[in-house]
Structure formats: C-alpha cells, structure tokens
C-alpha cells in the first residue's frame, strides 16, 4: 500500500456498521421459563373455567326437520310433489330461555366454502352499480344470463341457492296457539346492510323499474324486488338475502333467521309446548344434507360452544404439568451445569 | 543490462539450488563459502537469495535476441521455445554472493495460530523458502512445538523413497493402519471421488516436506497415501513449493476430504492457491495487490484472520441457519393450513386467508423482522467469540442446518399448522357474535386464521432472535402494527367505495375483532404454537447444553463484570530468529494448561453427557518428552 491517504476505503466506525449496537440479550433461563409456564397455566385454567361456565349457561335447542326418516314430521314434504308444502314440528322447552332468544336455521354437509361457489357473485352489481346490473361479471356463470340472454339480478350461484324455507312459531297453552312474533330486523351485519349492499337507484319511485331488463335467478320463486313487502327490506338489501350471501366457513353452519324480541317474548321464552310451522321449500336430501332449526340465547362469548372452555382448561393443566416437569429437570441438572462452568 | 561503459551483463537471482546448477565450474570454492553463509542465515530464520552474473558478447547477444524474437512470436510451442532460450543463456554464471532478508513475522501471528488451532482448524504452511527457514518460521509462530510427539521430514528424491518415508511416518503415528491395509486403494467410480475418512490420532505430529518430494507425493498413484499420512499430522509445512504445487495441494485436500479450505497469502505466487481454495484471503502488504485482487476477503494483517473466522464467519453461519430455518418454518406453516382446510371445503383449493394477506405476507408482514435478525443477530459478542474458539465447532460440523434440522422444522410446521387451523375451527363451530349475528362466516374465519398465524410466527421469530437491537424491536412491533393498520384500512368503507370488487372483506374487521371470543381464540392459538418450542429449548439447554449454551450462560452470569480481555501477556519476540529457541529454551507448558484441554477432559469423566470433547484424545495425562534439539539436528 502506498503512503497515500490511508483512510481510503476504510469503513465507518459507527456502532451500526461495526455490529456494536446496544442490545437486549435475553436468555431462556429457569427464572423466566418456569414462572411463565405457571402463570400461563393458571391464567388458562381461569379463563377456561369462565368460558366453560358461560357456555353451560347458554340455553339452546336444536330441531332437525329434514324428514329423511320414515315417520318424521316433514317426511311428506321431501318429494317434489307439492310446492309450498307445510309441515308442523312440535317441541317442548323444559326451562325458560332467558333474555333475547335468537332463531337460526342450520344446514349440514353444505359446502358454502367451495371455491367456485364462493367466487360466483358480482359485488359491483350488489352494490347497485347500473352497469354491472345490466352486464354481470363472468364469475357468475353459469348463473350469469337467464332466458333470452337477459342478465340475472342478483347473479351467481350463491344468490341462486338462497335458502327459502320459512317458519312460524306458535306457543301452545291449554290447546290455544299463540304466535310468537319473529323480528327480521337486525339479523345481518350493519356494514352489510348499510355499506356493502345497495339497491340500484329507484326509477320513478319504484324498485321494480330499477330492475327493468333483468330476470330473477333460476331457482327463485319471486324476483328480487319482491322479496319483502317492507320497502326497507326489499331488493338487494333484504336481510335474509344478506345473511345468506355472507358465506359460511365450514360445511356445517347456522345462519340467523329471526330474533325473538317483540313484547313479552323479548324478556324470555317461557317453558312449555311449542309448535313450529315449516314451509318446506329447500331440497337437501340430494346431497345428504340436513336441515335444522335452533333456538339459542347468547352471552358475551356467543352461542353454546364448549370447545374453547375445554381447550383452555386442558392446555392450562398441561402447562402446569410441564412446569413441574421442567422444575424437576432444572433442579436435577442445574447443579451439574454450575459445576461444569 | 548494458553498463555505462557499453558492456553487456546478465544478472540473475534466485533460490540457491537453482542457481548453483547454472554456475561456472570455476566458482566452486566461492560456492562452498556461500553455502555456509546460507545455512547460517537459514537457521536464523532469514530468507535467502543467491545472485550471479555473466558478461555477454555483443555478437552472441544479438543472435540470441533475434532467436528470442522469433520464439516469442511463434505460433506453436512458444513456451517451450522460450524456455529453451532462457536455459541456454543462463549458463556458466559467475557467483556474486547471497542475500539474506529478515522477513519479520507480523504482530499477533503466533496467537492467531494458537487460537485457530483451538478451534479445530488445521493449518498448513506452503512456502517457497528453504527448509531451514520454513521450520524456523514454524517454531516461531507456534505451529511446530517442542511438545509435539514427533516431526517428520520427507525429503526423498525418488517416488519409492517418498512412499517409504510416508509409510514410515504413518507407522509411527498409527501402527495399526499399516498392518490393516497395506495399500489404501481408492476406487474412483465415474466422476465421483471417494472421501477419505478422518483418522483420529494420539498425540501431535508435525511433518515437513520439500517441493521435490511433494511433486512425487502429488502424483496420481500416491496422492491418497500422501494425503492420508499428511492429514494425521497436526501441522504440515511444505517448503520449496512452487505456486502450482500450492494450488495442487489445496485441490487435493478439497477433492478427498470433506473439509472447507481457506488459503491465505500475500504475494503473487499465492494467487493460484487463493483461487483454488474454497475461501481465498489476500493480505495486502509489501508484496503488492495481486493476492488481494484475486481473493474473496482481504485485510492487512494476518491476525485479522482470527476475527474473520471466529467472529464474522461464525456469526454469518448462525445468522444464515437461523434465517433458513425460520423461513422454511413460516412458509410451511402458512401453506399447510390450507391442506387441513381442504378436508373441510371439498378440496376446492379455497384459501383460508384473504387474498391480500397472501400477497403481503412474505412481502410486508414478515419480511423486515427476518431481515433484522439476519443482519444483527449475535449469539455471543465478539470478545467472547475470540475468547472461546471452540464455539466455532458447530459450523464445522454443520450442526445448525442439515437434513435433521430441516425435518425438525417441518415437524414443527405441521404441528403449528394443526394448531392454527383446528383451534379456530373448534372455536368457530356453530358460534355467533354476542348480539346473535354471524361470526362463523368465511371472511371472519379468514381474518381470525391470518391474525393467529402472523402473531404466532412473529413470536417464533422473537424466540429465535438472540440479540435485540433497537432495529429489531422496531421491525418486529412495526410489522405487527403495519398488519393491523393495513388490514383495518383494507376492510374499511373507504377502500370498498373506491375499489368495490377488490376489497370484498369490508366490515369484517369491525364485526369480528370486537368479540372477546375471537381474541381468546387468538390468545390460545398463539401461545399454544409457541410454548412447546420454549419448553423444548429450555429442556435441551438443561439436559444437553451445547458449547453455545454454556458460553451464553456464562455471559449472562458475568453481565456485570466486563468480559475478560486477552490479558495473557506473551513475551513479544521482536525478531523471528529462534536464537536458542530450539537449542535450550523450551516454550513451556503454559498455553497447554490454559487452553483448558485438561479441564475439559476432567469434565468428560465427571459428566458423561457432555459431548463437546468427543474429538479430543482420550488420555487424561500426557507424558512429555524432554526438551530435545533433535529437530534442529535433522534439518542441518
């Protein structure tokens, strides 16, 4: 090297470039690991107990009405002979259901999470976009165009398979049936109802005119602008429709049908005999699916699901056990390590 | 050269053996005197050169020059023709004398060599100097030691003699290898060459071989024999080696041994060796820049090699392995969740996560923390790394990333993916929000699964990082914050209104993340993914501590006291002359004791579970030879 500037090419001598940054160097010592496991174990057991008890307090009754067995109440409706077939399902509630009760319909073996099914929708059309209304996206095919090449509104397989069984609930007291009022407001997410789904702008004050030039989905009995008589619940923003369009993650799912929140029924659903009148429209037997109705109360952790509570309890106990085992290991071997050092 | 008077002379310099062949017979007495002087200088460790000259006649020189010109522009066999001409003119030279140069050893060379030897690195010297000089240098820089069991000299002149000397050496080192297999045959199937197995030897041996014998040793028929004997010795010194032979030795080791080779040199004659080795290091110094230009690393002093290997090399290996392990883990976990979901979505390849999340996962959410770890991670600081060369061992044994650790990573990923899918599955089965509305829909499930995954892999990275600088902290917490920021933005009204079809997840964050149910699921999932790792690492540190664990434990215990400096005061010899070194003054046993080899052996008898000294010789005490000057006798 010559006697020229010796600093040429010399790297910076800062803490950053010379790997001297001050740092925290944690080490997995017994003083950290063992208390950690104990604390986590105890916390988990506490949470688990809370969750388990809460789940136990949820009252729920599940009624299968598929009618796939002989002699079941709705067995007569399973053939395609009659449409609007009505069947009646009597059931009994042992204990009073406290608080607002929610009514759900449930399906099993129904793969709403199937990929091709899940992408078969047009969000722009459902947002009320006129262009998409008249020319739905290609994702919707084969439910994109109807007869005479008219666009389907709403297009897609999800919309086409809208659940269309209806239910009426009657409370039987001394052979007198009183209808329990079911509320169809507030069953879908606020964001779905107010932001995500919008009707196309009305023409001449009529929703029907807004849907001029489109046809109803193939399997629907009525077009979309006749889903409900309530103008706030009609068209794309019909709440049953919204609930259905929010596809489920798993093949066995429940969807909110109605809330029992009118008058005296909102405080509790009294014990006794009930009768459920079902308009059986939706065919599920072809894919070995099942249909059911669920009445359930809710708590801060949702419906009846003891999985989380049990999981917390189990893993909390495992943590405590592991902490004990590690304590034994530590006590036995630390002496040797100290000596080795 | 033309003198001012008009006379033509040819001056020549070179090694003594070469020049002596070209001398005029009249120089005999001068030759003997010069030889004496050379030997004296050589034994003092000086590098010697012989000078000679010859007067040239004009006519002869013109003729030679014309022939030289023809030869240098010849199309065929140019090299041979030029060599012939050079041979012709460099004959019958008159001896001028000899020069001896003291080539001082740089600072810190003996310490460096000692440290690297403790790190299980074998060191060989390949030099063009004479044997005496090379042996002297060997003693001066600690490579050859008095306490070595034996130092073999291979300096035969025919192939058979060389083979015989090698076998004799081997017989002394490890007699059983000679009886068992008289000739070690290496079958060379197609293009693969067999790998020589490692021989464990008792005691330390040195070997000195000169270039002439080395030429025989490197022949195809003898190279395996040569390598086998040579690798049994702790130190090998090759003297009188040509640059080509240097490269050949390196290539021989690369071919037959499962070792990584590093060549370090400072002159133009080292360039071929530097290029042949796995890692080439050039020392920039008096001899110019050729070595530096052809090397992978270069620095100015030999002692920086210690830092290069034990600090930076080691950190680089650790960082690389941690990075690879983590990267495989996080991507396998990410992907295997889809495998489990396939059972529940009709195998329709439905993604568990939001598509935007899949795009941004490797790009934004997990990229910076890994980068921070791979740039800054240190398991022990540099001072401690230099203090404990044994920490270098895991890198040599390929311990941190191998098939075994890859399988472990895979199993860990499978476990994590099971947890990351089935706990949310169980928690979301037939659940609803606290106001009765839907919570088990596809979009909420996706949000839950992706949040659990990101937090779990982030905590795993936190466990892997041993050195938390402020940059690491920023990257780690920043990435999580960015995730929530981006997610909330993407699921907000604004983005939906602008790009309707691209952001269908609107409202999901608001509607599901305000449920205690969801957060409890996230808590359970992430803790469950991480705790087994903590338990496993803690147990392994207690049951089978590696050298790394022990040093880190020691570091943490002595946190309040600064790490000990290298305070072993060595007697600094200002010159490399071994005056009296080999004759009467023994180096002593100090460094052997303080190298803690003995302490380790004691540990081996008390705690049989520690494997760190599996490679050490098994005997507890070694008998020492008395100081002898037989070594020097052999060279003279």
């Amino acid at each position: 090297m010559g006697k020229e500037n010796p600093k040429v090419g010399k790297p910076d001598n800062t803490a950053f470039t010379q790997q001297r940054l001050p740092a925290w160097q944690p080490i997995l010592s017994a003083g950290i690991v063992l208390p950690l496991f104990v604390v986590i174990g105890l916390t988990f057991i506490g949470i688990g107990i809370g969750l388990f008890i809460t789940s136990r307090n949820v009252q729920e009754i599940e009624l299968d009405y598929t009618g796939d067995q002989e002699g079941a109440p709705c067995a007569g409706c399973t053939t395609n002979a009659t449409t609007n077939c009505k069947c009646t399902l009597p059931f009994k509630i042992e204990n009073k259901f406290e608080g607002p009760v929610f009514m759900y319909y449930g399906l099993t073996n129904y793969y709403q999470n199937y990929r091709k099914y899940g992408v078969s929708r047009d969000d722009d059309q459902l947002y009320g976009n006129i262009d998409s209304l008249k020319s739905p996206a290609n994702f919707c095919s084969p439910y994109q165009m109807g007869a005479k090449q008219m666009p389907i509104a709403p297009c897609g397989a999800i919309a086409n398979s809208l659940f269309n069984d209806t239910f009426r609930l009657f409370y039987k007291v001394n052979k007198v049936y009183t209808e329990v009022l079911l509320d169809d407001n507030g069953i879908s997410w606020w964001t779905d109802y107010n932001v995500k789904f919008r009707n196309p702008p009305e023409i001449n004050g009529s929703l029907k005119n807004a849907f001029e030039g489109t046809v109803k989905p193939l399997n629907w009995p009525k077009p979309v602008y006749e889903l409900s008589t309530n103008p706030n619940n009609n068209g794309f923003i019909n709440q049953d429709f919204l609930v259905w369009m929010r596809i489920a993650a798993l093949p066995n799912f429940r969807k909110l049908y109605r809330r029992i929140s009118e008058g005296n029924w909102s405080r509790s659903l009294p014990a006794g005999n009930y009768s459920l009148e079902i308009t059986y429209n939706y065919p599920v037997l072809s894919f070995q699916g099942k249909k059911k109705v669920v009445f359930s109360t809710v708590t801060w952790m949702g419906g009846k699901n003891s999985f989380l509570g049990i999981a917390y309890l189990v893993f909390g106990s495992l943590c405590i056990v592991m902490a004990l085992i590690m304590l034994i290991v530590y006590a036995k071997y630390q002496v040797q390590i100290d000596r080795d050092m | 050269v033309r003198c001012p008077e008009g006379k033509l002379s040819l001056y020549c310099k070179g090694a003594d053996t070469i020049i002596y062949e070209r001398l005029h017979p009249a120089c005999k007495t001068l030759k003997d005197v010069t030889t004496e002087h050379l030997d004296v200088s050589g034994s003092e460790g000086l590098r010697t050169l012989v000078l000679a000259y010859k007067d040239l006649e004009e006519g002869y020189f013109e003729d030679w020059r014309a022939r030289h010109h023809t030869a240098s522009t010849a199309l065929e066999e140019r090299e041979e023709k030029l060599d012939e001409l050079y041979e012709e003119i460099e004959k019958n030279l008159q001896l001028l004398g000899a020069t001896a140069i003291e080539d001082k050893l740089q600072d810190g060379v003996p310490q460096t060599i000692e440290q690297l030897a403790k790190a299980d690195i074998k060191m060989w010297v390949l030099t063009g100097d004479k044997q005496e000089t090379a042996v002297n240098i060997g003693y001066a820089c600690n490579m050859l030691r008095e306490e070595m069991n034996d130092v073999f000299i291979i300096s035969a002149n025919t192939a058979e003699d060389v083979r015989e000397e090698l076998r004799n050496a081997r017989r002394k080192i490890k007699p059983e290898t000679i009886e068992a297999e008289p000739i070690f045959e290496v079958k060379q199937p197609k293009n693969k060459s067999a790998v020589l197995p490692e021989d464990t030897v008792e005691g330390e041996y040195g070997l000195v071989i000169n270039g002439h014998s080395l030429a025989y040793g490197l022949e195809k028929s003898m190279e395996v024999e040569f390598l086998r004997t040579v690798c049994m010795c702790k130190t090998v010194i090759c003297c009188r080696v040509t640059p080509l032979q240097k490269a050949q030795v390196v290539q021989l080791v690369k071919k037959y041994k499962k070792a990584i080779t590093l060549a370090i040199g400072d002159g133009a004659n080292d360039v071929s060796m530097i290029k042949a080795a796995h890692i080439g290091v050039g020392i920039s110094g008096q001899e110019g820049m050729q070595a530096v230009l052809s090397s992978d690393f270069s620095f100015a002093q030999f002692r920086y090699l210690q830092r290069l290997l034990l600090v930076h090399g080691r950190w680089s290996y650790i960082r690389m392995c941690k990075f690879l392990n983590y990267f495989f883990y996080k991507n396998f976990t990410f992907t295997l969740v889809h495998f489990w979901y396939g059972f529940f979505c009709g195998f329709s390849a439905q993604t568990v996560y939001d598509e935007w999340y899949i795009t941004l996962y490797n790009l934004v959410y997990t990229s910076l923390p890994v980068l921070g770890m791979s740039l800054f991670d240190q398991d022990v600081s540099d001072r401690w790394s230099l203090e404990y060369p044994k920490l270098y061992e895991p890198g040599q044994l390929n311990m941190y990333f191998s098939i075994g650790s890859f399988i472990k990573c895979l199993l860990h990923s499978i476990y994590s993916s099971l947890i990351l899918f089935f706990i949310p599955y169980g928690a979301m089965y037939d659940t609803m929000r606290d106001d009765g509305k839907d919570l088990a829909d596809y979009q909420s499930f996706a949000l839950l699964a992706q949040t659990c995954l990101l937090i779990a892999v982030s905590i795993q990275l936190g466990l892997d990082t041993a050195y938390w600088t402020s940059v690491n902290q920023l990257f780690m917490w920043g990435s999580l914050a960015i995730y929530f920021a981006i997610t909330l933005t993407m699921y907000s009204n604004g983005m939906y209104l602008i790009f309707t079809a691209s952001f269908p997840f609107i409202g999901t964050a608001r509607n599901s993340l305000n449920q205690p149910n969801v957060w409890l699921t996230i808590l359970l999932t992430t803790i469950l993914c991480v705790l087994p790792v903590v338990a496993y690492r803690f147990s392994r540190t207690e049951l089978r501590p590696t050298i790394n664990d022990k040093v880190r434990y020691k570091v943490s215990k002595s946190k309040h006291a600064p790490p000990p400096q290298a305070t072993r005061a060595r007697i600094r010899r200002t010159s490399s002359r071994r005056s009296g070194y080999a004759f009467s003054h023994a180096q002593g046993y100090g460094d052997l004791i303080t190298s803690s080899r003995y302490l380790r052996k004691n540990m081996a008898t008390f705690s049989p579970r520690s494997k760190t000294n599996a490679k050490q010789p098994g005997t507890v005490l070694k008998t020492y030879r008395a100081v002898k000057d037989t070594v020097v006798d052999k060279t003279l």
Side-chain angles (χ1 to χ4, degrees), chain B residues 434-446:
Chain B
D434 56 7
D435 56 4
K437 296 187 193 170
D438 212 349
L439 188 60
D441 61 300
Y442 170 71
Q443 292 181 342
S444 305
F445 188 78

Side-chain angles (χ1 to χ4, degrees), chain B residues 519-530:
Chain B
W519 285 107
L520 286 174
T521 312
I522 293 177
L523 178 72
L524 180 66
T525 314
T526 52
I527 300 264
L528 213 54
C529 272
V530 164

Side-chain angles (χ1 to χ4, degrees), chain A residues 18-95:
Chain A
Q18 295 297 327
Q19 307 262 345
R20 279 197 312 261
L21 284 171
W24 170 51
Q25 286 179 287
I27 191 169
L28 275 183
S29 64
I32 295 179
V33 171
L34 293 172
L36 180 76
F37 268 72
V38 171
V39 163
I40 288 180
L42 291 174
T43 314
F44 275 19
I45 290 180
I47 296 176
I49 292 176
L51 283 171
F52 187 69
I53 291 178
T54 313
S55 177
R56 280 269 298 270
N57 288 341
V58 170
Q59 290 149 314
E60 181 192 78
I61 182 164
E62 198 179 280
L63 309 160
D64 185 313
Y65 70 93
T66 319
D68 50 344
Q69 282 152 346
E70 296 289 332
C74 293
C77 286
T78 51
T79 58
N80 284 341
T82 48
T83 54
N84 277 337
C85 170
K86 285 196 192 329
C87 54
T88 314
L89 190 65
F91 64 96
K92 189 172 159 115
I93 291 184
E94 304 291 335
N95 304 314

